[in-house]
Amino acid sequence: METTHRLFVDDSRDLRAVADDSVELVVTSPPYPMIEMWDDLFADLDPAVSSELESGNGQAAFEAMHAQLDRVWDELERVLVDGGIACINVGDATRSLEDSFRVYPNHARVTEAFEERGFDPLPDVLWRKPTNSAAKFMGSGMIPPNAYVTLEHEYVLIFRNGGDRRAFEPGADRRYEAAYFWEERNRWFTDVWTDVKGELQGLEGVPDDVRERSGAYPLEIPYRLLCMYSAYGDTVLDPFWGTGTTTLAAMCAGRNSIGYELEDTFLEAFEGRIDDIGTLSRSVGRTRLERHREFVDQRRADGDGLGYEAVNYEIPVMTKMESEILFREVESVNRTDSGYAVEHVPLETRN
């Protein structure tokens, strides 16, 4: 099986290289309005952002920043298939302007924008992001009432393009082979993820300055979302590509991908990330199988059974829908004019 991964150094407010209704899934983390590290980016896109910040008009600056993101959301409505899913990782911002401190609710503003474009909001996910601070409040001293809780979580907002779910041909192999395990479903489809920070990071070899400017999220997040909301043969789009974590996850998951990024420095750094993609993809698949075997052992120790046998691996599974699960690993990566062509083979493991 071959997947393609196209990369564009371009402005994602105009996805002209992406055809209408050609993407099944969007997984991205945009720059967060009112987070200072992205002020210059938003000001380059709209000089009014700088003027409003200098004037201390936080709400106007917030809205001007989101107006630039709105243009990307317009494009997502066009390129996503009916029933396609958009997963937007975003955090809220806290900021002081003119000695006034407040929170800027990015997640609420993004949700409003997608609803205005005809997307149906689905239940979202919170995940606990790593923090280096031991303090659990903002403010000074131990006396109420002028301290504030810290923001230690981010949102994965999930939207469906239109009201109908995607349809597949009955018994589609590419869907059943992309199944997840019963216990993975129970862990993944919960609204709070506490098990992702630092897991499957895949950020080795990325220069510190590039990583900081990208705001990269852990590899586990896009990989999990790809497994949850797409099948083999689907295409995932990341309009805010950064260090390429979504494309890396797509390579590991056996999906096609498209990435848009303004800075070509990030694309240069990505070359180092895929040097060992075969080993990484193999490790991801084997880790999932090993965790499943641990689940099987624990269930048997508790005196419970499993109802079915997997076809491709010598393991029992809970449901018939899991029985055809087939992981794929990267065998080779070839550079193309527009990105990469990746050859995948079925994952083989020691039993």
Side-chain angles (χ1 to χ4, degrees), residues 217-277:
Y217 44 25
L219 177 64
E220 174 73 15
I221 290 178
Y223 177 79
R224 186 176 292 192
L225 294 169
L226 279 159
C227 293
M228 293 166 65
Y229 295 112
S230 70
Y232 289 131
D234 283 352
T235 297
V236 58
L237 166 69
D238 187 347
F240 301 100
W241 192 76
T243 57
T245 305
T246 298
T247 290
L248 202 69
M251 290 179 174
C252 290
R255 273 68 164 178
N256 303 297
S257 72
I258 302 171
Y260 267 70
E261 175 52 50
L262 283 172
E263 296 191 49
D264 57 6
T265 304
F266 291 139
L267 273 71
E268 295 170 8
F270 185 72
E271 291 286 346
R273 300 192 73 186
I274 61 170
D275 285 345
D276 208 22
I277 185 63

Side-chain angles (χ1 to χ4, degrees), residues 161-179:
N161 190 20
D164 296 329
R165 295 182 296 178
R166 287 177 60 195
F168 292 82
E169 62 275 19
D173 288 343
R174 69 187 190 94
R175 188 183 185 198
Y176 282 88
E177 289 178 359

Side-chain angles (χ1 to χ4, degrees), residues 7 27 71 95 105 111 134 144 176 186 215 254-255 258 286 294:
L7 306 178
V27 175
R71 295 175 60 182
R95 190 154 180 176
T111 298
Y176 282 88
N186 295 344
R255 273 68 164 178
I258 302 171
R286 287 180 172 174
E294 292 172 358

Side-chain angles (χ1 to χ4, degrees), residues 20-228:
D20 294 359
D21 303 315
S22 62
V23 170
E24 284 79 23
L25 176 64
V26 172
V27 175
T28 195
S29 186
Y32 303 167
M34 300 307 287
I35 297 290
E36 289 187 51
M37 68 179 285
W38 284 302
D39 283 356
D40 290 343
L41 170 62
F42 282 114
D44 288 343
L45 300 176
D46 181 3
V49 169
S50 289
S51 300
E52 299 295 355
L53 289 173
E54 291 169 3
S55 300
N57 192 342
Q59 184 59 35
F62 173 75
E63 186 55 39
M65 293 177 183
H66 274 284
Q68 299 309 310
L69 296 182
D70 288 345
R71 295 175 60 182
V72 181
W73 311 149
D74 288 338
E75 286 288 82
L76 298 193
E77 180 187 1
R78 176 181 67 81
V79 302
L80 261 177
V81 300
D82 290 342
I85 300 293
C87 301
I88 313 298
N89 183 88
V90 68
D92 290 340
T94 54
R95 190 154 180 176
S96 294
L97 288 174
E98 296 291 310
D99 297 323
S100 176
F101 175 85
R102 58 161 290 183
V103 64
Y104 291 90
N106 287 316
H107 80 280
R109 178 59 175 77
V110 171
T111 298
E112 176 185 333
F114 272 82
E115 286 192 276
E116 289 176 351
R117 286 155 181 79
F119 287 79
D120 284 347
L122 302 179
D124 56 38
V125 170
L126 296 178
W127 68 278
R128 182 82 174 270
K129 62 184 179 181
T131 177
N132 295 323
S133 173
K136 297 301 180 186
F137 64 92
M138 299 176 66
S140 61
M142 308 301 160
I143 302 172
N146 295 323
Y148 314 96
V149 299
T150 56
L151 296 180
E152 296 181 348
H153 67 272
E154 294 189 356
Y155 295 83
V156 178
L157 304 174
I158 303 170
F159 307 96
R160 179 184 291 122
N161 190 20
D164 296 329
R165 295 182 296 178
R166 287 177 60 195
F168 292 82
E169 62 275 19
D173 288 343
R174 69 187 190 94
R175 188 183 185 198
Y176 282 88
E177 289 178 359
Y180 32 76
F181 291 120
W182 181 84
E183 69 278 9
E184 287 179 326
R185 181 202 65 182
N186 295 344
R187 188 171 72 251
W188 292 353
F189 286 88
T190 183
D191 63 346
V192 180
W193 290 351
T194 59
D195 61 335
V196 296
K197 60 180 181 179
E199 185 178 10
L200 298 177
Q201 286 280 351
L203 288 172
E204 295 80 3
V206 178
D208 290 342
D209 63 326
V210 173
R211 187 188 315 210
E212 288 171 4
R213 282 183 288 140
S214 75
Y217 44 25
L219 177 64
E220 174 73 15
I221 290 178
Y223 177 79
R224 186 176 292 192
L225 294 169
L226 279 159
C227 293
M228 293 166 65

